Each structure stands twice: as structure tokens, then as C-alpha cells.
Amino acid sequence: MRGVCFATTISLLTTGTLLWLAHSDNIPKVIELLGLDFRLALPSMFVSLVLISVLFMGPLAMLYMEGDVSWEQLRRIPQSLWNQPTWMRNYLVAHVHQAISRIIRREDKVKFILLATLAQFMYTTVFGWIAAALFVRTKSVAGPIVAHVFCNVLGFPDIQKALSYPRYLVVFVVGLLGFFGLFEPMTRQGVFIK
């Protein structure tokens, strides 16, 4: 998590500097373009958390129905995120590095490892689209950050288990449809940003 904080800070400083050079006469515009308008932070976090929770309805229901989550685990999430040494795990380089390590250790068949790496890459790409859309629609970086943390905590959904049990699959589909149905109305310009 420290690495993510460092990378985020460097990205914000670099982008902020470039925006400041282009808009040095309009600092509020620079803050707005960076998504740092604190008046929008809480609404953006709320909307993002609701939407991502709906999208992850399937994995959340699966965890709950199988008893894999407790209030004690939820309470420890902030500390475990901060102490997490695998800060690069959601980048392509990390996925490829992880795949190479698994191949070298002969953990599984190469074909399966490569397919799993491709699935992870596709998952993080789709999440990147969602985070970018949340940023553009809410005009705040706070919401996408909350959504990212939420997705990191839950990890990659167990699609195989969802396909094996119809009750899980139904909840996955309902969550996906709910996300698409709610995204536009919850992030609409006139509703979200006055």
C-alpha cells in the first residue's frame, strides 16, 4: 500500500505540475482537473461504493453464504491493506511476473497459468475502464480510489464456482445488470454534480 501511495503522489504531482503550467492563472481549474475538489469527494465515494458493491453482489453473496467473511475480518481490512507488501499486484508487469514465477515453480500447467494471467489482465483492464468512467462522471478521484480498494480487498471473483452453482450465477448476473442499470442515473450530471 505504501508503494501505491507513493506512485499516486508522484502521479498527482507530475500531472498537477503539467496542468499548472497550462493553467497557471486558474488554480481552481487545476484542482478540478485533478479530481481534488473536496466538495465532490464524499458524494463520489458514496456513488462509487454503491455501484461497485452492486457490481460485486455475486462475490459478496458467495462470501456471505459460505461463511467466508466475518466482522472481525472486515475490521482488520484497513490495517492489512496498509501492511500489504504486494503493492504492484494489479499491474500487468506484476501479472506477467507472477505467471513466470508459477511456471518456474511448476505450480500448474503452462496453458492454465497463461489463461489465468490473461483473465487477470482483462479483469484489471475492465476495472480501469470503470474507474476512468467514475472519475469522468463524478469529477473526483476519491470515488475511483475507494472502488479500487474495494476490488483489491475482494480480489478476483470465483467465476468457476459461480458457473457451478445456479444460485451464485443468478446473483452475479443481477449484480452486473444492476450496475449497468444504476451507473448512468447515479452519475448523471444534473443528479450528481450541481
Side-chain angles (χ1 to χ4, degrees):
M1 186 71 173
R2 290 182 194 110
V4 171
C5 291
F6 177 75
T8 300
T9 302
I10 295 301
S11 296
L12 279 172
L13 289 174
T14 304
T15 307
T17 301
L18 293 172
L19 288 170
W20 179 76
L21 291 172
H23 302 281
S24 60
D25 58 332
N26 192 352
I27 298 302
K29 181 70 172 174
V30 172
I31 291 170
E32 176 191 334
L33 290 172
L34 284 172
L36 297 176
D37 184 342
F38 291 105
R39 297 170 298 172
L40 301 175
L42 284 176
S44 174
M45 289 189 299
F46 175 76
V47 165
S48 298
L49 193 54
V50 167
L51 288 170
I52 293 299
S53 295
V54 170
L55 180 63
F56 273 76
M57 187 183 297
L60 287 170
M62 214 160 43
L63 286 172
Y64 176 75
M65 287 189 261
E66 299 201 353
D68 289 340
V69 68
S70 71
W71 287 112
E72 179 61 26
Q73 289 170 308
L74 294 174
R75 189 184 65 73
R76 287 187 297 208
I77 285 172
Q79 182 181 0
S80 67
L81 285 172
W82 186 256
N83 294 327
Q84 203 170 39
T86 56
W87 60 270
M88 275 188 56
R89 73 169 182 224
N90 289 321
Y91 295 98
L92 174 62
V93 173
H95 293 309
V96 172
H97 180 267
Q98 185 181 38
I100 291 170
S101 296
R102 289 179 66 197
I103 290 169
I104 290 170
R105 290 191 310 259
R106 299 177 193 261
E107 287 183 15
D108 220 324
K109 294 180 181 176
V110 173
K111 180 180 175 181
F112 177 77
I113 292 170
L114 294 177
L115 285 173
T117 303
L118 179 63
Q120 284 180 319
F121 177 67
M122 290 170 47
Y123 175 76
T124 54
T125 299
V126 170
F127 174 78
W129 294 338
I130 292 169
L134 286 169
F135 176 74
V136 168
R137 299 285 293 214
T138 67
K139 308 280 192 255
S140 175
V141 72
I145 289 172
V146 167
H148 192 193
V149 169
F150 187 92
C151 289
N152 280 352
V153 168
L154 282 183
F156 192 77
D158 191 345
I159 305 295
Q160 185 174 0
K161 188 179 284 185
L163 293 173
S164 300
Y165 298 96
R167 65 182 175 165
Y168 293 150
L169 185 58
V170 167
V171 181
F172 267 72
V173 171
V174 167
L176 187 62
L177 294 174
F179 173 80
F180 286 118
L182 290 172
F183 188 85
E184 197 281 327
M186 287 190 75
T187 61
R188 187 178 303 138
Q189 184 80 18
V191 172
F192 184 76
I193 302 170
K194 302 285 183 203

